Amino acid sequence: MLLAIDVGNTHICMGILDNDKILGNFRLTTKTPRTSDEFGICISTLLARSKISPDKIDDVIISSVVPKIMYSLTNCIRKYINKEPLIIGPGIKTGIKINQDNARSVGADRIVNVSYAYHTFKKPCIIIDFGTATTFDYVNEKGEFEYTVISPGLEISAQALYNQTAKLPEIEIKKPASILATNTIDGMQAGVVYGYIGHVEYIIRQMKKELKNNDIKVIATGGLGRTIYNATKMIDEFDPDIAFKGMKIIYDKNKK
């Protein structure tokens, strides 16, 4: 079995894979400081809840955009899983060519996403990851990661609204039944969510226009991705497990 760990700015997502089957997945908050032993207790508890012994884990792969927790996390894997984790970064085989001005600045999470898209669909793809930031990454049919758009995520957009105003409250991010709101809460939700739908649709439309190709597959992932996916026809599919699937693809390439 493979333990795949995706460290994002907001959450640490862990998936247990048996070949290509995802047996279970768990989520921890990233911003809580943890020692290697605290990470170990969390992981051991989560494995136990899935009735999986740590000695059943054959290997561990980590994709991280938060360098400051990596010392504790990697030491936890060595101590509690007894494995040396494969960390996605320079020198790792991905099957992707990064055609960006500074390839080393591209986050591991985005390399995982485009690897999944290219190796799964073998055609031009835009992968939208609705995380702390929302990223729109384009990979062509040759496996070349060429273009990217990065914007504030849904939660950041909502936080900016209530943090920068005196009387507007904190809101749950959900799509109201109508954009014609009759109270402050619905009005804020309508502005944030309907506005974000328009934002996403415009970026997709403009990317396809400048690429001169309407036959581009658009895939969404990430925590709040389903909210937007359910409200637009411009996203072809939503898959919350792209990170785990992409890491499995990269793991197989490196273990061969």
Side-chain angles (χ1 to χ4, degrees):
M1 293 183 192
L2 176 68
L3 175 61
I5 304 177
D6 178 29
V7 181
N9 289 297
T10 303
H11 292 110
I12 302 168
C13 299
M14 304 183 190
I16 304 165
L17 294 89
D18 186 5
N19 293 318
D20 293 327
K21 184 179 180 181
I22 300 172
L23 301 180
N25 61 80
F26 315 98
R27 182 173 295 201
L28 303 173
T29 181
T30 304
K31 295 181 180 179
T32 301
R34 295 181 179 90
T35 65
S36 58
D37 289 323
E38 288 170 330
F39 271 122
I41 291 167
C42 287
I43 292 174
S44 298
T45 302
L46 296 173
L47 289 174
R49 288 183 63 86
S50 296
K51 297 181 173 58
I52 296 172
S53 170
D55 60 15
K56 296 294 185 183
I57 301 298
D58 300 308
D59 244 325
V60 180
I61 184 169
I62 302 174
S63 163
S64 175
V65 296
V66 187
K68 67 181 181 180
I69 77 164
M70 290 303 291
Y71 180 81
S72 294
L73 182 58
T74 52
N75 280 339
C76 151
I77 299 303
R78 296 181 185 114
K79 183 175 181 180
Y80 285 84
I81 309 295
N82 201 29
K83 300 294 179 185
E84 185 65 33
L86 176 66
I87 299 171
I88 297 173
I92 294 293
K93 298 174 185 176
T94 64
I96 297 295
K97 182 179 180 182
I98 303 175
N99 288 344
Q100 300 253 321
D101 294 338
N102 183 1
R104 288 183 174 270
S105 71
V106 178
D109 55 339
R110 294 160 62 205
I111 294 171
V112 167
N113 288 346
V114 297
S115 294
Y116 163 79
Y118 168 67
H119 292 294
T120 303
F121 301 108
K122 298 291 186 181
K123 66 177 293 183
C125 294
I126 295 170
I127 308 91
I128 311 174
D129 191 343
F130 292 90
T132 306
T134 297
T135 55
F136 302 74
D137 292 324
Y138 172 76
V139 60
N140 66 22
E141 69 280 3
K142 298 177 183 177
E144 297 169 333
F145 178 11
E146 294 188 297
Y147 307 113
T148 190
V149 177
I150 304 172
S151 65
L154 260 169
E155 288 188 0
I156 289 178
S157 301
Q159 288 169 6
L161 190 59
Y162 56 74
N163 284 339
Q164 299 300 318
T165 54
K167 290 190 174 182
L168 294 181
E170 186 172 350
I171 59 169
E172 178 188 359
I173 298 176
K174 68 176 185 178
K175 179 174 169 282
S178 171
I179 199 170
L180 303 176
T182 56
N183 60 73
T184 299
I185 300 295
D186 285 353
M188 292 172 67
Q189 289 174 332
V192 170
V193 179
Y194 281 99
Y196 212 84
I197 294 165
H199 162 86
V200 169
E201 290 183 338
Y202 180 83
I203 290 176
I204 295 170
R205 194 177 297 115
Q206 189 66 18
M207 289 180 76
K208 287 184 173 183
K209 178 181 176 182
E210 294 194 24
L211 288 162
K212 297 181 174 61
N213 185 359
N214 284 318
D215 186 29
I216 298 174
K217 189 171 185 67
V218 181
I219 312 138
T221 192
L224 291 167
R226 193 180 298 278
T227 300
I228 304 302
Y229 168 70
N230 289 332
T232 179
K233 294 183 178 179
M234 295 194 69
I235 300 174
D236 297 310
E237 66 178 72
F238 173 78
D239 187 342
D241 297 322
I242 282 177
F244 300 143
K245 294 175 182 178
M247 281 191 275
K248 177 62 166 59
I249 289 169
I250 291 173
Y251 171 79
D252 288 342
K253 284 186 171 296
N254 284 272
K255 286 303 173 182
K256 286 179 182 176

